[in-house]
Structure formats: C-alpha cells, structure tokens
Amino acid sequence: MTSRDGFQWTPQNGLKQGVPSIGVISPSTKITSDTPWDVIVIGGGYSGLTATRDMYQMGEELEPSFDFSRGVNYFELRTDKHSTTMSHEEEDTLLATALEKFVNVDGDMGRIIVPFPYAGFHNPDARKYDKMSVLDRLNVISQSLTPNERTGLESFILLCSCGTLETTSFFEFLHWWALCGYTYRGCMDCLISFKFKQGQSSFAIKFFNEALSTGNLSYAFNSPVKSIQDEDKKVTVTTRDGRSFTASCLVSTIPLNVLNDITFNPPLDPIRTQATKIGHVNQCVKVHAEISNKDMRSWTGISYPFNKLTYAIGDGTTPAGNTHIVCFGGQHNHIQPEEDVNATKAAVTSMAPGNMDIQRLVFHNWSKDEFAKGAWFFSPPGFISSSLDALRQRHGNILFANSDWAIGWRSFIDGAIEEGTRAALTVKEELRSTPLRSHL
Amino acid sequence: MTSRDGFQWTPQNGLKQGVPSIGVISPSTKITSDTPWDVIVIGGGYSGLTATRDMYQMGEELEPSFDFSRGVNYFELRTDKHSTTMSHEEEDTLLATALEKFVNVDGDMGRIIVPFPYAGFHNPDARKYDKMSVLDRLNVISQSLTPNERTGLESFILLCSCGTLETTSFFEFLHWWALCGYTYRGCMDCLISFKFKQGQSSFAIKFFNEALSTGNLSYAFNSPVKSIQDEDKKVTVTTRDGRSFTASCLVSTIPLNVLNDITFNPPLDPIRTQATKIGHVNQCVKVHAEISNKDMRSWTGISYPFNKLTYAIGDGTTPAGNTHIVCFGGQHNHIQPEEDVNATKAAVTSMAPGNMDIQRLVFHNWSKDEFAKGAWFFSPPGFISSSLDALRQRHGNILFANSDWAIGWRSFIDGAIEEGTRAALTVKEELRSTPLRSHL
C-alpha cells in the first residue's frame, strides 16, 4: 500500500506525494462492536498501539550500592603473597585496563564479534569463543597482564560466573560485556552499582499483586512438582504429596539445574536432557555481613585466590548504623557457609583484617537449595552453542520460561521477564484460537 | 513474614534459618476455580510472575546504518570558511572530545547530575540545567573548544533537538546523554547506528496485528478528532466529519504540538494548556537521497552553519545498487523541502560537492503535518521543569499517552511504548473495578 504521507522526487517523475509502506492498514475502518465501548484510543503510533502493562514505575526506587563520600574510601587487594590498598580511581583503572585486554578480541572491544547482545551469534565467529574457557583466553593474553591486573581480572570474572576459570565460557563473558555496553563502567552500572531501596521483594510483589488483581489467578506455594504428564490437549502436574492439576498448557519456570529432577512423560528430547545433566556452573556464595565499623561503607576489596570469599563491597548502612558488606565467593575455593560458620566468619574477616567486626551474617545457600542448585546462570564452554536452541523449544503443551535460556539478559531478572513474556505470548495466542472456556 | 529460605548469624543468637521478607505470600494457597484450567505456571520467580506480551522478538532484524568497509570512507566537515575531510576515527575523536567538554558539568560526565536517566530530577541540581539553553552552556565552555570541535558539537546537538541553540534545553540534552550511557559511543549506538532491516513499519505492524488478533479491536483511520467531551462516567469523541464515539474512558496519544487544536470540554488545566501553546522545538527536516555514487556508502558529513541540511550519513545501499544518504536539518536554517525541490537538492549536493548525483529524494514534511507539527520531542529551556508533571496527569476519564511526556526515552519509540503501557495499566485496573460489560 502507499501512504498519503511523505514525498518522493526522482529525475523521471519530479515530486510526488505518498510513499510505499507495509504499515498502511486496509480497509481503514473496522467497527463491529456496539457502543459504548470500554475505551477509545486516539492515535495509531506506538503509544496508541501499546496496550500492555507497566511494572517498572519504580524509577525513584533505586539507590546506589556504593558510597565513597566518607570513611576509609579505598580498595583493598589481597593475594596469597601481597596486600595493598589503592584509591577507587586506581581500582577502576586496574580493572578497566585488565578487562579491556581480556575482551578485545577484535580491536573494537568485542563489538565486532558480538555486535548485537540480543543476537549473540549474529556474527558466526562468536561461536569459536564459546568453545574457549576464560582460562584459555587468559592464557592468550597472559604476557600482557601485570600480576595485580591478573588478580583483579580473575576475581571479576569469577564474580560473574562463580564457577572456575576452566568451567566458565569466554563467549558468555563477552555476552555480558556486550549487554553492559562494552565498557567496565557499563559493567559496574549494570551488574552491581544499583539496587531497589526496599529490596527485590518490593519489585516481585508488584508482579504478584497485578496478577492477583485480575481475579483469574489461583496459586499453590509449597507444592514441589514430582512429574509432568503431557497428553493430546492437556497437561497434568503431580506434586510430591500426590495432588494433581490439569490444564490446556503449562509454563515451566523450573531452572536448568533442577529440570532433571522432574519426571516428564513423554521424556524430554535428548539435547535438552543432556543440557540439564551438564547444567550451569554458577555456585555463588553470597554472604551479607553487618559490621560495626562505619568507615567501611566506602571500602571495596578482592582477596584471591587464597580466600573462601573473593570479592566484596560496602553496600549500605543498616538501621543500627552499622555497615552492610556484601561478599561473593563461588565454585573456586567453595564453601557451604552454614556448615561451618566460623570458617565463613573467617572468610569475611580475612577480606579486611582488623576492620570486620561482624554483628550479623545473612545468607542463602543456593548450592544446597534443591529448587535452585546454584545461583544465576553462567555457562561452561560449548554449552550455549550446543544447547540454547533446544532449551527454548516447547515440549508438546509445555512451554519453558526461565532466564537460564533467555536471549538477552540471560541469567538476570530482565531475562526472566523476557522469558515469561515469551511464554505468555504463546499461551495467549493459543488460548485465543481455541473456543472460549474458563478464561472468560 | 519470614521466609524459610536463607540464614542469619548474630553474636546473640548464633545461626538461625529464615529471613524476613515482604515477598512471602500468606495464605500460601488459593485455589478457587474449577479444573481443568487453561494454563498452569510452575514457579513464582520473575519468569513465572511475568504474564504479558512480547513484541521484541526481532533481535535478528537489526542491521547497522554505517558501513565503512569500502568506498570513500571519510568524514567531510564543511563550514562557512573551511572544508576538510578526516577519517571516521578522527571524526569520533573530534565529536567525543567536544561532547565530553560539553556535558562534563560535574567532573563525572553528567553522572552525578543525572544519575538515573529514568528519574531525571532525582538530583535536584539537575533543574538548574533545565533553565539553561545549550547556547548558555556553549558560552561557558567556549574557550576550551577548537573551531572544528565547536562546529561538530553544535551540529550534533542540533541533530538531536532540530531546534536552535537558543531554544534547546541543556538538561534535555544531558538527559539524552544519560540515557545513552554517558558516552559518545553510546549516543551513536542508541541514536543512529542501527535500524530494522525491513523498516519501522515492520515493527509497528506487529503491534497492530497483535491487538487485532484479540478480536476486541475496532478501529477507524482517517478520522481526525475535532472535540472531546468528558462527562461523569463516559467520554465522547466527535470527529471533524461529525461522527461520535462514546466510551468509559479514553486514551489520547495526540502529540504535544497538536493538542491545542482539539477542543476539550471541560477545558484542559492551565499548566497543560500553556505547555501545548509553547510546544516542543523539534522541526526536523529529514531527507532521504538515493545517489548513484556507490563509494559514498562509507561517507559521513557535517555542513554547518551555512547549509539547509547539516548532518548526513551513508545509510544503506538501495535495491538498484545506489547509495542511500540520510540528511538532517532543523529549525536552524529551516527549509520546507517540497516547496522548492531545487533548493532541497542544492542542500543535499552541498554536503559533498561533486559526489551527490541524486536519483531520488524521499521525505516527509513533519513541520507541515497537521497531526505532528514537528518531529520527535525536544524541549526548550524550562519546559520539563514546569510542565512534565502536568502533561502526565489524567483529565477526568481521559488519559494522555505520548512519548512527548515519557519519563525515560522521552521522544523515542521506547518512550511511546512506556506511555502506552502506563495508560493501558490504568485502564485495565479501572475496567476491572467496574462491572463486566463488553470486555467479555
């Protein structure tokens, strides 16, 4: 169709009004309902076309994790042999320099290899980096890294993957780097610098309340799933305690590392099954410590490789006026923090000897959580190349939605939203094409 | 409520399981419907909680605007007195250096003044920059800019606002800068480097088709609105040709510069009315030229201030193998391109004398489009500080959704989606709270 809008000029025809467009709707009117309607939308641009929901009206609910306005205001780098402190500007320079050497596989900081973070293998050359571990890449650039750069770089990578250098895919790290805008500053902004004032629960509860307000939501917590039976036009879920639920279709958000514990009938395809057996490598140990030293609010530190926790920052001030320190460890030098609290306390205090007077520890053991078996997704070499497509497929009437196989912010909350959205769109389209029943 | 998950350790109580959380739902089960359901969702994380739609599955549908792989491969800078060419690397350095001087009001490239682009006045100090025009800011830093930097900077700013230096808010430019990640490279990536392979219509049509597929959409194009009457529990729209449509509520996506042409009864509030009279300043002239010189695919150019078009890039190769050049002008040195096509052609050819053998021009005159009266939103000094909140308010049963008053990507398609989302959420909540009628 040709629009009335716009002009064309050519040497042959001179100036003519109207340009071709696939966006011209024909016929231009369709009015079938009786008036009055519930709502009229004036305008057919993107605002008019968009009719969905908004759970992001929390723009003023963010606050910075870091506060370098007072106190010790330094970065503490501790290795097996040396300890040093430096300014946060020096910390940024050290990590940015090291990271840029690490990711600069193409002379443009990875932009050529992963030009579109939402299409990771758009450049097919990216696949070869998925065959490499981060250790493989470190070996390539090892002669160009100072010892401090190497320590900072390794601990930063392990902060992301919480695996080991051998089990962390270099491509997946490049993917994170691309998502973060191809800069160290972008990584800090996207990965660690900001948080919700009232915590993640203040965000999650909005999703739940909105779903509840439809009046169409039934729910059952504390009902671990044992098996899922897919039949011709229905799916039946059976819980461990023997209850059954049947529906036309099912959205499974069961994470990768847990999927293998559920019995599917018919069984999942071989590629997905194999992928669930391999799993992802993130065994993050995240320990929150409340310490009495107020000056530590502006502290950051790396203790690596000797320590059971490797990366930590001052993350807030508690109601009691103490400093909240958040510490990260992982598969490298792994610890089960509740099994030996004294060892956990020692790992915290060893990050800044003399400055960690612990008043409280708070943590969740993601590795031993039977419904997680790890923290956020991070892939081993070869995993994304071989398994991502299969993990995104449906299985009969079962759709799989989890950030573990998102295309964009894979492993982040954003990726979970991406996946939930994807599943919901499919469900909505399929329900529409079947006769109306209970979704009135 | 306290979760079962997680651990706390304190000196007083030792290790205890469970942490307080507002995300714990009580009671933990609510099942009221009869089985079978339409759909079951396993999991209450973000994937499970998200039930909306996805119109962004076009990750592989992007392509770069620039292609510097062959041809002339230079940047052509033409001023009243001098013309020069330089490499694209030199172009980037010139513009990045100039822009960094321009935005660096706080020693951290604007990050302190606008730390959260989705909360522009989070730092109240940002308001003072909304009182400044970009010319005011240029005057502050004028002694630190080379002539080439000043030319590049002014034309880049005017590429964004398409107003004049006097009528462009410095805050609004800082807001764009923050949205783009506080770097020149981010600006290029977010503003001009990428496009949909099949054009914007390929994106818009997906929104329309999805709305249509609900079976609930009636529509009428080519029906300009004359007046809107808001009453107790209904709104009536009357078109210029005398038809009337009545609904419970109304979403108006009428843009800022056009809103004043519609009669509202009761009339709009004084602040909004005043804002619609002021309007935004963007009078972009965007001219697409198909030229026979294939080598110009890798050309970029600025011709300023003497020329009627000031900023242009090689943007594609046409099916005929010619080069597609896109040229931008604005209120500064304004032209109505269809009124004197020879002058328009001269403005195109003057950007690269000798290299612009025009085979076709395509353009839309946004300034004379009665339903736009300008291009994308860009605010004059003081406008956002004084009017943004009022423009976002409802007016009785009328909701206003337009990118012109979005919080985040204001003036971009993303902002239109943000606004459509915002309106739809309100409508949905209000319809839910009224007895079911036609939305069955």
Side-chain angles (χ1 to χ4, degrees), chain B residues 252 254-262 264 268 272 276 400:
Chain B
S252 165
I254 299 165
L256 177 69
N257 285 7
V258 178
L259 211 48
N260 201 32
D261 297 340
I262 312 297
F264 284 87
L268 299 177
R272 193 191 324 250
T276 65
F400 295 88

Side-chain angles (χ1 to χ4, degrees), chain B residues 122-153:
Chain B
H122 180 85
N123 182 343
D125 291 345
R127 289 185 182 272
K128 77 179 178 204
Y129 297 104
D130 193 40
K131 297 202 179 106
M132 293 172 67
S133 71
V134 294
L135 183 59
D136 294 332
R137 175 62 185 169
L138 284 165
N139 288 337
V140 171
I141 62 162
S142 60
Q143 298 308 305
S144 69
L145 293 168
T146 69
N148 275 357
E149 284 173 355
R150 176 115 188 188
T151 301
L153 178 56

Side-chain angles (χ1 to χ4, degrees), chain B residues 190-203:
Chain B
C190 293
L191 303 179
I192 199 165
S193 293
F194 302 106
K195 56 185 178 177
F196 285 119
K197 284 177 191 166
Q198 306 299 324
Q200 290 295 348
S201 294
S202 68
F203 187 53

